[in-house]
Amino acid sequence: MPNRPSGAKAGLTRELVLDAALEYLDEHGLPALSMRKLGARLGVEAMSLYRHVPNKDALLDGLVDRVMELAFAGLDDPRDGWVPWMRQFAHSLRAALVAHPGVLPLAATRPVNSPDALRMSERWLAAMRAAGLPLGRAMDVVNVIATFTIGHTLAEVGRTPGHEGSEPDLDQRSDELDPAEFPNLTEVIRTRAGLDFDHRFTEAVDILLGGYAALD
Amino acid sequence: MPNRPSGAKAGLTRELVLDAALEYLDEHGLPALSMRKLGARLGVEAMSLYRHVPNKDALLDGLVDRVMELAFAGLDDPRDGWVPWMRQFAHSLRAALVAHPGVLPLAATRPVNSPDALRMSERWLAAMRAAGLPLGRAMDVVNVIATFTIGHTLAEVGRTPGHEGSEPDLDQRSDELDPAEFPNLTEVIRTRAGLDFDHRFTEAVDILLGGYAALD
DNA sequence: CCATCAGGTTTACGCTGTAAGCATCGCTAG
DNA sequence: CTAGCGATGCTTACAGCGTAAACCTGATGG
């Protein structure tokens, strides 16, 4: 497949591979991502990728790590208070996940004790303690906000990890919905009550943070 | 593989297939579940399963539906108040997911608008409205509690969807953890602060429900 | 100039989901 | 009693997957 003279270097890097993988993932979805197709996109055979990545799982882990890093970028100093910092982090994480929906199922199911994830947890804890929170409480707040954000965004993006648009959104299929069988759902669609994901997420995060803040 | 006289019926049912699949999933994890292996467990060739299930995805959807049904079983009457009902539901859902960890990644990533999921949402909404909650608020509470429960349980079970025990739990690898690089995490392990998932889940659910109840 | 090596390729293996066609059973109609 | 028929399971086949092993080749350092 490569039209480059055989044996010549294509100039791959781990970073380039991850870039291409992330792009492919966001365009075509997780099930469509294979080493062969990723290689093809880079003008290279599948096996070449293994010079830069030990195996497919590690590649996927790298993608999760990347998006997590993205969520951390540009956060304020936590010493201004853990509540605003955590709120900012929650919204930043949600934005990063929405921007890379293909990574979402991965972020949700990767083990929490991979080296990357441990580094991430350490950073969270450091930030929260810098804001004056005791360790146990910091663990609780961090974990609750992170898991809620991932869970909620998962439902928000809400399609099979397969390529997007395979199913229409709930509010686009009001026609096919039998009002006799689904009276409440049809009313939801008609009145558009409770379909605002932004509002729901913001409100829930504030409830959680407010609740923890009141626990002193 | 089947030692039964060729052409004889093995007596499969959709229900039997789902039973076996759920069992296999909980024992060996999602990546290990293949149509051939599932067939083998039932004493049947892989293709035979397709008489009872249109394809693998539909089979997996069926498993999610089953566990969700399990979560609904034995709930009190919602008219006794939506706060206790929702609390009970959250804990029941978490218990069902923990009992069938293989289904968790599926429950998290299946689209929210499959027919089964719609039926489920309708039931939730009906219960909440029976308890006197307005529709929009009902949507918010239901979605927030469900997504948080799934997200938190995902982190709790917390291993690659691959077979369990592939990585030790966080608190079992204190040895390998460099205290210089991970001061906070090592302290977490030493003091066991913030490692109680039960307590964290209960507390967070109560904060959420209390917060919504206070919004009147 | 030659040896080494990093990076890319080729080939191959066992596994996957599933389409198509066939064999065989139990049941029902004549 | 028998003809046929639908239901059920089996066989074969195909394209695609992740990746191990061996190989080739252009660039680099002694």
Side-chain angles (χ1 to χ4, degrees):
Chain A
M1 168 126 314
N3 54 1
R4 156 183 29 84
S6 175
K9 318 210 161 164
L12 286 194
T13 328
R14 183 187 142 90
E15 291 315 302
L16 281 177
V17 172
L18 287 182
D19 283 347
L22 190 53
E23 224 174 283
Y24 197 97
L25 203 53
D26 290 335
E27 284 175 30
H28 305 99
L30 217 180
L33 176 65
S34 79
M35 298 303 272
R36 288 177 230 258
K37 291 187 201 146
L38 180 55
R41 154 160 310 211
L42 288 163
V44 129
E45 296 300 320
M47 289 309 294
S48 306
L49 304 174
Y50 286 86
R51 291 276 160 193
H52 307 276
V53 143
N55 54 55
K56 192 185 183 184
D57 271 1
L59 188 157
L60 298 181
D61 280 343
L63 296 187
V64 174
D65 203 43
R66 222 166 226 237
V67 172
M68 285 297 182
E69 213 64 55
L70 189 61
F72 259 104
L75 293 187
D76 291 342
D77 191 316
R79 274 163 301 185
D80 297 344
W82 63 269
V83 171
W85 188 88
M86 208 65 213
R87 175 167 31 227
Q88 195 185 25
F89 173 73
H91 283 89
S92 175
L93 176 56
R94 172 161 172 261
L97 292 172
V98 166
H100 299 286
V103 177
L104 238 170
L106 298 174
T109 54
R110 291 286 126 175
V112 196
N113 46 5
S114 74
D116 283 340
L118 290 183
R119 257 187 35 238
M120 214 51 83
S121 299
E122 181 66 29
R123 281 169 71 178
W124 280 326
L125 292 180
M128 295 300 274
R129 297 194 82 177
L133 221 61
L135 184 60
R137 183 65 51 79
M139 277 284 281
D140 284 347
V141 175
V142 162
N143 276 281
V144 164
I145 293 291
T147 57
F148 170 67
T149 301
I150 290 179
H152 190 267
T153 311
L154 219 30
E156 177 176 7
V157 172
R159 20 189 66 98
T160 319
H163 66 296
E164 346 286 309
S166 62
E167 294 253 0
D169 275 354
L170 174 62
D171 51 352
Q172 288 168 350
R173 45 178 5 210
S174 48
D175 325 333
E176 345 165 15
L177 214 56
D178 178 9
E181 193 181 355
F182 301 106
N184 290 295
L185 280 177
T186 42
E187 186 176 343
V188 161
I189 291 170
R190 190 167 48 73
T191 64
R192 311 201 53 74
L195 282 182
D196 187 342
F197 280 87
D198 274 345
H199 170 262
R200 170 153 64 233
F201 180 75
T202 303
E203 189 174 73
V205 166
D206 285 346
I207 288 177
L208 282 170
L209 292 179
Y212 279 112
L215 281 186
D216 307 332
Chain B
M1 168 129 311
N3 52 2
R4 156 182 30 83
S6 174
K9 318 211 162 165
L12 286 195
T13 327
R14 183 186 142 91
E15 292 315 302
L16 281 177
V17 171
L18 288 183
D19 283 347
L22 189 53
E23 224 174 285
Y24 196 97
L25 203 51
D26 290 335
E27 283 176 30
H28 304 98
L30 215 181
L33 176 65
S34 79
M35 298 302 272
R36 287 179 231 259
K37 292 187 201 144
L38 179 55
R41 154 161 309 211
L42 288 162
V44 128
E45 295 302 319
M47 288 310 294
S48 304
L49 303 175
Y50 285 87
R51 292 279 158 191
H52 306 275
V53 143
N55 55 54
K56 192 184 182 183
D57 271 2
L59 187 158
L60 298 181
D61 280 342
L63 296 186
V64 174
D65 202 42
R66 224 165 223 238
V67 172
M68 286 297 182
E69 214 65 54
L70 189 61
F72 259 104
L75 292 188
D76 291 342
D77 192 316
R79 274 163 302 187
D80 296 345
W82 62 268
V83 170
W85 188 86
M86 208 65 213
R87 177 171 24 233
Q88 196 185 23
F89 173 72
H91 283 89
S92 174
L93 177 56
R94 172 162 171 261
L97 292 172
V98 166
H100 300 287
V103 177
L104 238 169
L106 298 175
T109 55
R110 292 284 126 174
V112 195
N113 47 4
S114 73
D116 283 342
L118 290 183
R119 256 187 35 238
M120 216 49 86
S121 298
E122 181 65 30
R123 282 169 71 176
W124 279 327
L125 291 181
M128 295 299 273
R129 297 195 83 178
L133 221 61
L135 184 60
R137 181 67 49 79
M139 277 283 282
D140 285 347
V141 175
V142 163
N143 276 280
V144 164
I145 293 292
T147 58
F148 170 67
T149 301
I150 289 179
H152 190 266
T153 311
L154 220 29
E156 177 177 6
V157 172
R159 18 190 68 99
T160 318
H163 67 294
E164 346 285 307
S166 63
E167 294 252 1
D169 276 354
L170 174 62
D171 51 353
Q172 288 169 351
R173 44 177 8 208
S174 49
D175 324 333
E176 343 165 16
L177 214 56
D178 177 10
E181 193 181 353
F182 301 105
N184 290 294
L185 280 176
T186 41
E187 187 176 342
V188 160
I189 291 168
R190 190 169 45 75
T191 64
R192 311 201 53 74
L195 282 184
D196 187 342
F197 280 87
D198 275 345
H199 169 262
R200 170 152 66 232
F201 181 75
T202 303
E203 189 174 72
V205 166
D206 284 346
I207 288 177
L208 282 170
L209 293 178
Y212 279 112
L215 281 186
D216 309 330

